[in-house]
Amino acid sequence: MPLPIAPLSDPRYYLANFRAALDWVVARYDDLLRDEERDFLARFAALPEAAQALLVRLVMRRGEHFRTSRLEYAEIGDTDAALAPLIASGLVAADPAFGVEELCRQLRLAELRQALAEALAEAGLGRATKGELTTRLPALMPAPRRYSAWWPEAPDRLIRLTAMATCERLRLMFFGNLRQDWSEFVLTELGHQRFETVPFGPESRAFRYPEELDAYLALHALGERLAAGEAVSDLADALSESLPPLAANPWLAARRRRLALRLGREAERQGEVALALDLYAQGGEDEALVRRLRLLERLGEHRRALDLARPCLDAPASEAQRQALTRLVPRLEKRLGLMVTPSSPEPAPEQLTLTLPQAAGGGVERAVAEHLATPEAPVRYVENGLLTGLFGLLCWEAIFAPLPGAFFHPFQSGPADLYRPDFVSRRRARFDACLARLDSGDYRQAIRATWAAKHGLASPFVAWELLDRELLELALASLPPAHLRACFERLLADLKANRAGLPDLIQCFPERGDYRLIEVKGPGDRLQDNQRRWLAFFQERGIPAAVCRVRWA
């Protein structure tokens, strides 16, 4: 079913788009709709059009409480007339009770002083700032009240959108995430965002069972509570009680592990080490395990840490974990008086040292680029955009393959399973076919064709503003296909980790088909671990790369 996007010339374009999204959800998720969603859909359809438009305006705004004086829309007309059916249907509550925290969000300082004049005078807060009132009033006025009780002389009314939770669930069904919102329609219509067209049918959807929607929403809510500063111990209890490990759904289980890792880091920062260790144990076998081991080391539990670390060193979950464990295990062995496991020395990349005038603007990378560049050997700032961009262009067909569970709505910049463990294995034959062009010699033609045909379409790997035609041609003339294949295979080994840490600059020698990558470090800067891993890889594969250390004259 195609998804129509209303033109912005339609004054109620947002309503047409919202209706289209609801139809899309019903067509794909009818078996997952609860009574609450069906009831909302029925009540929404029965509303007059002006009331529908106002409800969608509310849904697209932040929060659930709104002052009627701030609901003036020319294409809707009389706000009170549009509100009446919403209130009658129960989708909007008139004059709801709420706490003083919400009152502080809704009123300006002068309005707060007018509404609470007597109470503020008694508390000695008559001249307090709004920040002070927001901090102190909840303790002084803890009981919720209606807007008409908070401010009897208010010049307007305050309403609450009661259907927000249902609309959020419907949004989650449509997008498969809560990062995206209804503005995607508008941005696409304006041309600010363009997406690859991927064929998919009604069976292509993000969720299979209602419980998966419940779990996603619960994890999202816990993450928001963490960001709001709620006690990490309470959040950890909620994670354990309401969200046991989600083994049946690998990507939701991964979301749960990432949240456990976030909670563990916060617990460690707050000094709750026992809780942090427990949360790290729930956070997976990669970064969470390393953090758990380092915390045990700081606590002096060296034997316990070593017993956990040694098996992982034999079969690390990632290159990052291997790198961390090769440093940690010898330290633990030394502290326990054991024979220290020998580690291979890290290969030393080529070193450049430059003394340059203090950069007036543009940073140290620009200063190095301008110093090294010649007409025959231009230097471009590329960081993580060139090799990943060439990879994205060459392997476009594999990345955007219409596999089940990869694409389920028309506003996706990439496949939903991009960072899941089976992403590459599900497409291995497709990636092999793309990389084979590097061996056959037609890779340049394939990359140029994709650059021209797909230019401007959202991609998880191609940054179009960086990879312009000039840089593309420089790279194709300078980088040997064997080097590209080696780098692309390393990207495929761990797409999430290995897409970062690449050198800042590339200097191309197109006349002789050569180049060098340059990682720039200003005074006091150090190489990051992911940069060290790439530099070691370059050294191993004979790929020209150097570290340029800059001193200011």
Side-chain angles (χ1 to χ4, degrees), residues 109-154:
L109 177 58
E111 293 174 324
L112 280 171
R113 288 173 174 169
Q114 183 179 352
L116 306 176
E118 185 176 340
L120 295 182
E122 291 179 0
L125 295 173
R127 303 186 67 178
T129 65
K130 188 172 182 181
E132 291 169 339
L133 293 179
T134 302
T135 301
R136 297 186 59 182
L137 285 180
L140 297 174
M141 313 175 81
R145 303 179 195 175
R146 298 182 183 278
Y147 187 57
S148 56
W150 282 117
W151 191 10
E153 297 81 18

Side-chain angles (χ1 to χ4, degrees), residues 216-329:
Y216 188 105
L217 289 166
L219 288 168
H220 181 76
L222 286 177
E224 289 193 322
R225 290 165 61 186
L226 175 63
E230 191 166 332
V232 69
S233 56
D234 293 340
L235 300 178
D237 290 341
L239 182 69
S240 300
E241 293 169 6
S242 61
L243 284 164
L246 304 161
N249 187 307
W251 73 273
L252 280 175
R255 288 186 68 86
R256 187 191 187 281
R257 289 194 295 271
R258 289 197 298 272
L259 179 57
L261 172 60
R262 287 178 58 198
L263 291 171
R265 287 175 6 210
E266 184 60 31
E268 185 176 356
R269 277 194 289 267
Q270 295 180 10
E272 300 186 52
V273 293
L275 179 59
L277 288 171
D278 178 62
L279 288 164
Y280 286 151
Q282 301 177 49
E285 297 301 317
D286 198 348
E287 181 184 351
L289 175 65
V290 173
R291 287 183 173 273
R292 185 181 176 196
L293 294 172
R294 287 172 176 163
L295 181 53
L296 287 171
E297 181 185 23
R298 286 199 296 273
L299 294 173
E301 298 191 38
H302 302 139
R303 170 53 65 182
R304 183 180 169 192
L306 185 60
D307 289 344
L308 285 170
R310 272 178 167 165
C312 299
L313 185 57
D314 295 331
S318 66
E319 287 185 9
Q321 189 182 80
R322 181 195 300 275
Q323 185 181 47
L325 293 179
T326 55
R327 299 168 180 166
L328 180 64
V329 167

Side-chain angles (χ1 to χ4, degrees), residues 10 12 18 77 120 209 234 244 252 260 316 352 472 476 516 524 553:
D10 178 355
R12 294 178 176 174
F18 189 75
L120 295 182
Y209 307 107
D234 293 340
L252 280 175
L352 301 175
L472 180 73
L476 292 179
R516 65 173 171 174

